mmCIF file of all heavy atoms in Angstrom:
data_model
loop_
_atom_site.group_PDB
_atom_site.id
_atom_site.type_symbol
_atom_site.label_atom_id
_atom_site.label_comp_id
_atom_site.label_asym_id
_atom_site.label_seq_id
_atom_site.Cartn_x
_atom_site.Cartn_y
_atom_site.Cartn_z
ATOM 1 N N GLY A 1 116.459 167.246 167.656
ATOM 2 C CA GLY A 1 117.033 167.009 166.335
ATOM 3 C C GLY A 1 117.907 165.802 166.253
ATOM 4 O O GLY A 1 118.400 165.448 165.167
ATOM 5 N N CYS A 2 118.103 165.118 167.370
ATOM 6 C CA CYS A 2 118.973 163.954 167.424
ATOM 7 C C CYS A 2 118.234 162.705 167.893
ATOM 8 O O CYS A 2 118.870 161.688 168.130
ATOM 9 C CB CYS A 2 120.183 164.213 168.303
ATOM 10 S SG CYS A 2 121.282 165.527 167.726
ATOM 11 N N LYS A 3 116.959 162.771 168.082
ATOM 12 C CA LYS A 3 116.183 161.628 168.545
ATOM 13 C C LYS A 3 115.864 160.700 167.366
ATOM 14 O O LYS A 3 115.829 161.115 166.214
ATOM 15 C CB LYS A 3 114.914 162.092 169.208
ATOM 16 C CG LYS A 3 115.131 162.951 170.462
ATOM 17 C CD LYS A 3 113.830 163.423 171.052
ATOM 18 C CE LYS A 3 114.073 164.311 172.271
ATOM 19 N NZ LYS A 3 112.810 164.815 172.864
ATOM 20 N N ASN A 4 115.588 159.464 167.680
ATOM 21 C CA ASN A 4 115.147 158.477 166.683
ATOM 22 C C ASN A 4 116.125 158.290 165.535
ATOM 23 O O ASN A 4 115.705 158.059 164.389
ATOM 24 C CB ASN A 4 113.774 158.868 166.142
ATOM 25 C CG ASN A 4 112.730 159.010 167.238
ATOM 26 O OD1 ASN A 4 112.687 158.208 168.161
ATOM 27 N ND2 ASN A 4 111.884 160.027 167.130
ATOM 28 N N LEU A 5 117.416 158.386 165.818
ATOM 29 C CA LEU A 5 118.408 158.217 164.776
ATOM 30 C C LEU A 5 118.964 156.775 164.731
ATOM 31 O O LEU A 5 119.744 156.462 163.849
ATOM 32 C CB LEU A 5 119.576 159.173 164.962
ATOM 33 C CG LEU A 5 119.220 160.684 164.926
ATOM 34 C CD1 LEU A 5 120.498 161.511 164.984
ATOM 35 C CD2 LEU A 5 118.427 161.020 163.683
ATOM 36 N N HIS A 6 118.560 155.958 165.679
ATOM 37 C CA HIS A 6 119.035 154.568 165.720
ATOM 38 C C HIS A 6 117.837 153.660 165.543
ATOM 39 O O HIS A 6 116.949 153.589 166.372
ATOM 40 C CB HIS A 6 119.730 154.292 167.062
ATOM 41 C CG HIS A 6 120.886 155.197 167.309
ATOM 42 N ND1 HIS A 6 122.166 154.878 166.895
ATOM 43 C CD2 HIS A 6 120.955 156.418 167.874
ATOM 44 C CE1 HIS A 6 122.984 155.880 167.219
ATOM 45 N NE2 HIS A 6 122.277 156.786 167.801
ATOM 46 N N TYR A 7 117.806 152.986 164.393
ATOM 47 C CA TYR A 7 116.624 152.178 164.044
ATOM 48 C C TYR A 7 117.061 150.974 163.210
ATOM 49 O O TYR A 7 118.191 150.933 162.695
ATOM 50 C CB TYR A 7 115.623 153.043 163.264
ATOM 51 C CG TYR A 7 116.219 153.857 162.157
ATOM 52 C CD1 TYR A 7 116.404 153.338 160.891
ATOM 53 C CD2 TYR A 7 116.623 155.160 162.404
ATOM 54 C CE1 TYR A 7 116.978 154.076 159.876
ATOM 55 C CE2 TYR A 7 117.202 155.931 161.415
ATOM 56 C CZ TYR A 7 117.381 155.394 160.141
ATOM 57 O OH TYR A 7 117.962 156.136 159.140
ATOM 58 N N LYS A 8 116.191 150.018 163.078
ATOM 59 C CA LYS A 8 116.522 148.804 162.356
ATOM 60 C C LYS A 8 116.454 149.022 160.862
ATOM 61 O O LYS A 8 115.558 149.694 160.357
ATOM 62 C CB LYS A 8 115.571 147.663 162.770
ATOM 63 C CG LYS A 8 115.995 146.281 162.260
ATOM 64 C CD LYS A 8 115.128 145.218 162.821
ATOM 65 C CE LYS A 8 115.401 144.986 164.302
ATOM 66 N NZ LYS A 8 116.737 144.406 164.552
ATOM 67 N N ILE A 9 117.425 148.468 160.119
ATOM 68 C CA ILE A 9 117.499 148.558 158.684
ATOM 69 C C ILE A 9 117.559 147.160 158.105
ATOM 70 O O ILE A 9 118.281 146.309 158.589
ATOM 71 C CB ILE A 9 118.740 149.375 158.247
ATOM 72 C CG1 ILE A 9 118.618 150.834 158.690
ATOM 73 C CG2 ILE A 9 118.934 149.312 156.736
ATOM 74 C CD1 ILE A 9 119.801 151.678 158.345
ATOM 75 N N LYS A 10 116.778 146.926 157.049
ATOM 76 C CA LYS A 10 116.824 145.627 156.363
ATOM 77 C C LYS A 10 118.094 145.512 155.532
ATOM 78 O O LYS A 10 118.595 146.517 154.991
ATOM 79 C CB LYS A 10 115.601 145.475 155.468
ATOM 80 C CG LYS A 10 114.292 145.413 156.177
ATOM 81 C CD LYS A 10 113.107 145.605 155.257
ATOM 82 C CE LYS A 10 113.012 144.526 154.198
ATOM 83 N NZ LYS A 10 111.756 144.635 153.412
ATOM 84 N N TYR A 11 118.597 144.294 155.396
ATOM 85 C CA TYR A 11 119.676 144.061 154.437
ATOM 86 C C TYR A 11 119.140 144.204 153.017
ATOM 87 O O TYR A 11 117.937 144.256 152.809
ATOM 88 C CB TYR A 11 120.292 142.671 154.637
ATOM 89 C CG TYR A 11 121.039 142.520 155.918
ATOM 90 C CD1 TYR A 11 120.590 141.690 156.965
ATOM 91 C CD2 TYR A 11 122.259 143.203 156.141
ATOM 92 C CE1 TYR A 11 121.288 141.565 158.155
ATOM 93 C CE2 TYR A 11 122.948 143.089 157.329
ATOM 94 C CZ TYR A 11 122.465 142.266 158.325
ATOM 95 O OH TYR A 11 123.163 142.124 159.493
ATOM 96 N N ALA A 12 120.051 144.281 152.058
ATOM 97 C CA ALA A 12 119.634 144.460 150.662
ATOM 98 C C ALA A 12 118.790 143.269 150.174
ATOM 99 O O ALA A 12 117.910 143.445 149.334
ATOM 100 C CB ALA A 12 120.857 144.666 149.758
ATOM 101 N N SER A 13 119.065 142.107 150.678
ATOM 102 C CA SER A 13 118.268 140.932 150.400
ATOM 103 C C SER A 13 118.226 140.076 151.659
ATOM 104 O O SER A 13 118.984 140.316 152.598
ATOM 105 C CB SER A 13 118.837 140.132 149.223
ATOM 106 O OG SER A 13 120.157 139.715 149.486
ATOM 107 N N GLN A 14 117.357 139.104 151.684
ATOM 108 C CA GLN A 14 117.139 138.343 152.913
ATOM 109 C C GLN A 14 118.407 137.627 153.383
ATOM 110 O O GLN A 14 119.181 137.112 152.567
ATOM 111 C CB GLN A 14 116.036 137.314 152.700
ATOM 112 C CG GLN A 14 116.429 136.244 151.720
ATOM 113 C CD GLN A 14 115.567 135.004 151.887
ATOM 114 O OE1 GLN A 14 114.530 135.044 152.535
ATOM 115 N NE2 GLN A 14 115.979 133.911 151.316
ATOM 116 N N LEU A 15 118.601 137.650 154.643
ATOM 117 C CA LEU A 15 119.685 136.909 155.305
ATOM 118 C C LEU A 15 119.040 136.079 156.411
ATOM 119 O O LEU A 15 118.320 136.633 157.237
ATOM 120 C CB LEU A 15 120.717 137.875 155.868
ATOM 121 C CG LEU A 15 122.139 137.361 156.075
ATOM 122 C CD1 LEU A 15 122.759 136.921 154.740
ATOM 123 C CD2 LEU A 15 122.998 138.414 156.698
ATOM 124 N N VAL A 16 119.275 134.780 156.401
ATOM 125 C CA VAL A 16 118.584 133.879 157.330
ATOM 126 C C VAL A 16 119.577 133.324 158.329
ATOM 127 O O VAL A 16 120.672 132.900 157.951
ATOM 128 C CB VAL A 16 117.923 132.722 156.555
ATOM 129 C CG1 VAL A 16 117.165 131.803 157.487
ATOM 130 C CG2 VAL A 16 117.002 133.270 155.490
ATOM 131 N N ASN A 17 119.237 133.346 159.606
ATOM 132 C CA ASN A 17 120.128 132.769 160.618
ATOM 133 C C ASN A 17 119.957 131.242 160.687
ATOM 134 O O ASN A 17 119.150 130.656 159.983
ATOM 135 C CB ASN A 17 119.963 133.433 161.992
ATOM 136 C CG ASN A 17 118.590 133.188 162.583
ATOM 137 O OD1 ASN A 17 117.884 132.236 162.257
ATOM 138 N ND2 ASN A 17 118.179 134.048 163.500
ATOM 139 N N ALA A 18 120.728 130.609 161.586
ATOM 140 C CA ALA A 18 120.713 129.145 161.676
ATOM 141 C C ALA A 18 119.365 128.600 162.111
ATOM 142 O O ALA A 18 119.070 127.417 161.885
ATOM 143 C CB ALA A 18 121.792 128.695 162.620
ATOM 144 N N SER A 19 118.508 129.439 162.657
ATOM 145 C CA SER A 19 117.168 129.028 163.095
ATOM 146 C C SER A 19 116.137 129.279 162.013
ATOM 147 O O SER A 19 114.928 129.023 162.217
ATOM 148 C CB SER A 19 116.752 129.773 164.365
ATOM 149 O OG SER A 19 117.650 129.464 165.437
ATOM 150 N N GLY A 20 116.571 129.781 160.852
ATOM 151 C CA GLY A 20 115.652 130.029 159.748
ATOM 152 C C GLY A 20 114.877 131.333 159.870
ATOM 153 O O GLY A 20 113.828 131.489 159.229
ATOM 154 N N ILE A 21 115.383 132.268 160.700
ATOM 155 C CA ILE A 21 114.676 133.549 160.863
ATOM 156 C C ILE A 21 115.348 134.609 160.015
ATOM 157 O O ILE A 21 116.559 134.765 160.050
ATOM 158 C CB ILE A 21 114.718 133.991 162.359
ATOM 159 C CG1 ILE A 21 114.137 132.883 163.267
ATOM 160 C CG2 ILE A 21 113.961 135.295 162.552
ATOM 161 C CD1 ILE A 21 112.726 132.569 163.006
ATOM 162 N N THR A 22 114.563 135.352 159.248
ATOM 163 C CA THR A 22 115.109 136.426 158.432
ATOM 164 C C THR A 22 115.560 137.567 159.322
ATOM 165 O O THR A 22 114.883 137.928 160.306
ATOM 166 C CB THR A 22 114.080 136.950 157.409
ATOM 167 O OG1 THR A 22 112.879 137.303 158.105
ATOM 168 C CG2 THR A 22 113.747 135.894 156.372
ATOM 169 N N GLN A 23 116.732 138.148 158.985
ATOM 170 C CA GLN A 23 117.359 139.085 159.889
ATOM 171 C C GLN A 23 117.303 140.517 159.353
ATOM 172 O O GLN A 23 117.286 140.768 158.160
ATOM 173 C CB GLN A 23 118.828 138.706 160.076
ATOM 174 C CG GLN A 23 119.034 137.327 160.663
ATOM 175 C CD GLN A 23 120.477 136.987 160.818
ATOM 176 O OE1 GLN A 23 121.185 137.549 161.655
ATOM 177 N NE2 GLN A 23 120.968 136.119 159.976
ATOM 178 N N GLY A 24 117.313 141.460 160.288
ATOM 179 C CA GLY A 24 117.531 142.870 159.999
ATOM 180 C C GLY A 24 118.829 143.266 160.703
ATOM 181 O O GLY A 24 119.570 142.406 161.180
ATOM 182 N N THR A 25 119.138 144.537 160.754
ATOM 183 C CA THR A 25 120.346 144.961 161.427
ATOM 184 C C THR A 25 120.123 146.319 162.028
ATOM 185 O O THR A 25 119.179 147.034 161.698
ATOM 186 C CB THR A 25 121.538 145.033 160.423
ATOM 187 O OG1 THR A 25 122.738 145.360 161.154
ATOM 188 C CG2 THR A 25 121.308 146.092 159.379
ATOM 189 N N ASN A 26 120.970 146.691 162.982
ATOM 190 C CA ASN A 26 120.996 148.074 163.473
ATOM 191 C C ASN A 26 122.374 148.660 163.127
ATOM 192 O O ASN A 26 123.395 147.975 163.277
ATOM 193 C CB ASN A 26 120.818 148.116 164.995
ATOM 194 C CG ASN A 26 119.391 147.807 165.421
ATOM 195 O OD1 ASN A 26 118.471 148.440 164.923
ATOM 196 N ND2 ASN A 26 119.225 146.856 166.298
ATOM 197 N N ILE A 27 122.373 149.875 162.589
ATOM 198 C CA ILE A 27 123.678 150.539 162.444
ATOM 199 C C ILE A 27 124.200 150.752 163.854
ATOM 200 O O ILE A 27 123.523 151.284 164.704
ATOM 201 C CB ILE A 27 123.514 151.900 161.718
ATOM 202 C CG1 ILE A 27 123.081 151.670 160.266
ATOM 203 C CG2 ILE A 27 124.844 152.655 161.753
ATOM 204 C CD1 ILE A 27 122.887 152.951 159.489
ATOM 205 N N THR A 28 125.413 150.285 164.100
ATOM 206 C CA THR A 28 125.990 150.320 165.439
ATOM 207 C C THR A 28 125.959 151.749 165.980
ATOM 208 O O THR A 28 125.945 152.699 165.218
ATOM 209 C CB THR A 28 127.439 149.785 165.415
ATOM 210 O OG1 THR A 28 127.444 148.534 164.736
ATOM 211 C CG2 THR A 28 127.969 149.586 166.794
ATOM 212 N N ASN A 29 125.976 151.874 167.275
ATOM 213 C CA ASN A 29 125.765 153.160 167.927
ATOM 214 C C ASN A 29 126.937 154.106 167.706
ATOM 215 O O ASN A 29 127.786 154.305 168.574
ATOM 216 C CB ASN A 29 125.560 152.916 169.419
ATOM 217 C CG ASN A 29 125.025 154.143 170.118
ATOM 218 O OD1 ASN A 29 124.476 155.010 169.515
ATOM 219 N ND2 ASN A 29 125.226 154.181 171.443
ATOM 220 N N HIS A 30 126.993 154.715 166.501
ATOM 221 C CA HIS A 30 128.030 155.662 166.168
ATOM 222 C C HIS A 30 127.452 157.076 166.183
ATOM 223 O O HIS A 30 126.253 157.269 166.047
ATOM 224 C CB HIS A 30 128.603 155.377 164.766
ATOM 225 C CG HIS A 30 129.150 153.999 164.634
ATOM 226 N ND1 HIS A 30 130.106 153.485 165.486
ATOM 227 C CD2 HIS A 30 128.907 153.028 163.749
ATOM 228 C CE1 HIS A 30 130.410 152.259 165.135
ATOM 229 N NE2 HIS A 30 129.695 151.945 164.065
ATOM 230 N N PRO A 31 128.308 158.100 166.333
ATOM 231 C CA PRO A 31 127.819 159.478 166.236
ATOM 232 C C PRO A 31 127.281 159.756 164.835
ATOM 233 O O PRO A 31 127.637 159.087 163.885
ATOM 234 C CB PRO A 31 129.074 160.317 166.505
ATOM 235 C CG PRO A 31 130.236 159.401 166.216
ATOM 236 C CD PRO A 31 129.759 158.033 166.593
ATOM 237 N N ARG A 32 126.379 160.746 164.757
ATOM 238 C CA ARG A 32 125.676 161.020 163.521
ATOM 239 C C ARG A 32 125.901 162.471 163.043
ATOM 240 O O ARG A 32 126.164 163.359 163.824
ATOM 241 C CB ARG A 32 124.155 160.841 163.706
ATOM 242 C CG ARG A 32 123.687 159.482 164.260
ATOM 243 C CD ARG A 32 123.983 158.363 163.295
ATOM 244 N NE ARG A 32 123.080 157.212 163.437
ATOM 245 C CZ ARG A 32 123.409 156.085 164.028
ATOM 246 N NH1 ARG A 32 124.591 155.907 164.549
ATOM 247 N NH2 ARG A 32 122.552 155.082 164.060
ATOM 248 N N ILE A 33 125.686 162.631 161.721
ATOM 249 C CA ILE A 33 125.587 163.949 161.137
ATOM 250 C C ILE A 33 124.221 163.999 160.450
ATOM 251 O O ILE A 33 123.885 163.100 159.691
ATOM 252 C CB ILE A 33 126.692 164.226 160.102
ATOM 253 C CG1 ILE A 33 128.074 164.135 160.747
ATOM 254 C CG2 ILE A 33 126.506 165.585 159.430
ATOM 255 C CD1 ILE A 33 129.215 164.139 159.752
ATOM 256 N N VAL A 34 123.421 165.010 160.741
ATOM 257 C CA VAL A 34 122.113 165.156 160.132
ATOM 258 C C VAL A 34 122.178 166.339 159.160
ATOM 259 O O VAL A 34 122.448 167.458 159.571
ATOM 260 C CB VAL A 34 121.009 165.375 161.160
ATOM 261 C CG1 VAL A 34 119.649 165.462 160.496
ATOM 262 C CG2 VAL A 34 121.001 164.253 162.199
ATOM 263 N N LEU A 35 121.934 166.086 157.861
ATOM 264 C CA LEU A 35 121.995 167.140 156.865
ATOM 265 C C LEU A 35 120.665 167.868 156.773
ATOM 266 O O LEU A 35 119.620 167.398 157.273
ATOM 267 C CB LEU A 35 122.363 166.551 155.509
ATOM 268 C CG LEU A 35 123.674 165.751 155.457
ATOM 269 C CD1 LEU A 35 124.019 165.394 154.003
ATOM 270 C CD2 LEU A 35 124.821 166.473 156.088
ATOM 271 N N ASN A 36 120.668 169.025 156.116
ATOM 272 C CA ASN A 36 119.479 169.825 155.986
ATOM 273 C C ASN A 36 118.328 169.089 155.303
ATOM 274 O O ASN A 36 117.145 169.370 155.574
ATOM 275 C CB ASN A 36 119.764 171.119 155.219
ATOM 276 C CG ASN A 36 120.575 172.110 156.052
ATOM 277 O OD1 ASN A 36 120.477 172.108 157.283
ATOM 278 N ND2 ASN A 36 121.370 172.946 155.400
ATOM 279 N N ASP A 37 118.655 168.197 154.358
ATOM 280 C CA ASP A 37 117.583 167.490 153.613
ATOM 281 C C ASP A 37 117.117 166.222 154.300
ATOM 282 O O ASP A 37 116.340 165.461 153.749
ATOM 283 C CB ASP A 37 118.059 167.188 152.194
ATOM 284 C CG ASP A 37 119.217 166.192 152.165
ATOM 285 O OD1 ASP A 37 119.702 165.760 153.228
ATOM 286 O OD2 ASP A 37 119.633 165.816 151.043
ATOM 287 N N GLY A 38 117.599 165.972 155.525
ATOM 288 C CA GLY A 38 117.176 164.797 156.295
ATOM 289 C C GLY A 38 118.086 163.607 156.164
ATOM 290 O O GLY A 38 117.852 162.590 156.836
#
């Protein structure tokens, strides 16, 4: 029930680094709460 909780999330709109690559992000490795509805 706690596997696969750390995954890449896109920003709300594109963010480009200095090399011109569009970026995503990972929610930093914090503890989680999983609700009944997912």
Side-chain angles (χ1 to χ4, degrees):
C2 296
K3 298 178 181 178
N4 303 319
L5 300 186
H6 301 270
Y7 47 87
K8 190 173 289 293
I9 294 179
K10 295 166 63 173
Y11 291 113
S13 59
Q14 67 160 15
L15 203 61
V16 182
N17 64 22
S19 299
I21 305 297
T22 54
Q23 300 179 71
T25 185
N26 287 307
I27 294 179
T28 311
N29 193 21
H30 302 307
R32 305 295 206 255
I33 300 170
V34 182
L35 305 188
N36 286 332
D37 66 356

